Amino acid sequence: MENKDALLIRVGQGYDVHRFEAGRKLWLGGIHIPFEKGLLGHSDADVLLHAIMDAMLGALALRDIGYHFPDTDPKYKDVDSKVLLKETNKLIREKGYQLGNIDATIVAERPKLNPHIPEMITCIAMILDADPSQISIKATTNERMGFVGNEEGMMAIASVLLVRS
Ligand SMILES: [Zn+2]
């Protein structure tokens, strides 16, 4: 993206979903949240960070997290998604962009997430070397409908704006 015709701003969106499993720790937005079950995945299954990374990559048409960090690669087994987010940020900076802002939503019936949101924002801002005011995280339920409503899993969606450095 060194080319001088590169766009000043680029937008991306991300979606991710993970299934709950008893006996796993719940990692969300880079922090551990005490709960009776966690999310299942090859990595720590941090559904929010995954949606944010997919949005960052999507903004620069750089495919998705599965392409950059394949779950068939043993080096990503149980990997901390914060490490992957840092890598993703490095990638977009190498392409000449930096974070404008993130707006993300977590959809889950339980646990109550609102009390944890400020800590998630602090954590994500630190990883991305950004100001907390650039990061919005919201939480909602699915009104007890579907796989989220049945507490089979959790989903997250994110929009990201990148700005040319
Ligand atoms: Zn994921």
Side-chain angles (χ1 to χ4, degrees):
M1 296 277 169
E2 280 83 23
N3 123 39
K4 60 183 182 315
D5 296 323
L7 293 170
L8 286 175
I9 57 171
R10 308 262 314 199
V11 67
Q13 57 87 24
Y15 165 86
D16 195 31
V17 57
H18 283 269
R19 178 186 293 277
F20 275 127
E21 185 163 278
R24 297 255 311 176
K25 280 189 166 184
L26 178 59
W27 288 95
L28 210 51
I31 66 169
H32 172 238
I33 294 175
F35 190 47
E36 66 203 40
K37 50 195 175 181
L39 295 170
L40 182 64
H42 186 71
S43 67
D44 64 7
D46 190 324
V47 70
L48 176 60
L49 294 192
H50 292 182
I52 289 171
M53 284 187 263
D54 259 352
M56 290 169 75
L57 293 168
L60 295 186
L62 293 173
R63 308 281 298 261
D64 58 24
I65 54 172
Y67 177 82
H68 292 275
F69 315 112
D71 65 6
T72 48
D73 188 334
K75 95 175 160 194
Y76 297 120
K77 174 102 179 84
D78 295 323
V79 72
D80 181 344
S81 294
K82 294 191 284 297
V83 173
L84 306 183
L85 181 61
K86 208 175 175 63
E87 282 293 306
T88 302
N89 197 41
K90 199 173 141 218
L91 201 65
I92 65 146
R93 287 191 178 200
E94 282 166 3
K95 296 286 181 186
Y97 285 82
Q98 62 188 44
L99 181 70
N101 72 298
I102 295 172
D103 186 21
T105 305
I106 309 163
V107 192
E109 288 306 314
R110 287 193 310 139
K112 278 217 177 315
L113 297 173
N114 278 324
H116 301 286
I117 286 178
E119 195 186 343
M120 292 181 199
I121 290 174
T122 304
C123 175
I124 294 166
M126 224 154 67
I127 296 164
L128 297 179
D129 197 16
D131 191 86
S133 66
Q134 291 169 276
I135 297 157
S136 155
I137 299 171
K138 309 186 295 292
T140 188
T141 72
N142 219 34
E143 297 287 342
R144 307 220 62 88
M145 294 180 290
F147 71 88
V148 170
N150 297 334
E151 297 187 26
E152 285 172 61
M154 212 181 249
M155 77 172 159
I157 54 176
S159 299
V160 165
L161 189 78
L162 300 182
V163 180
R164 202 167 71 189
S165 304

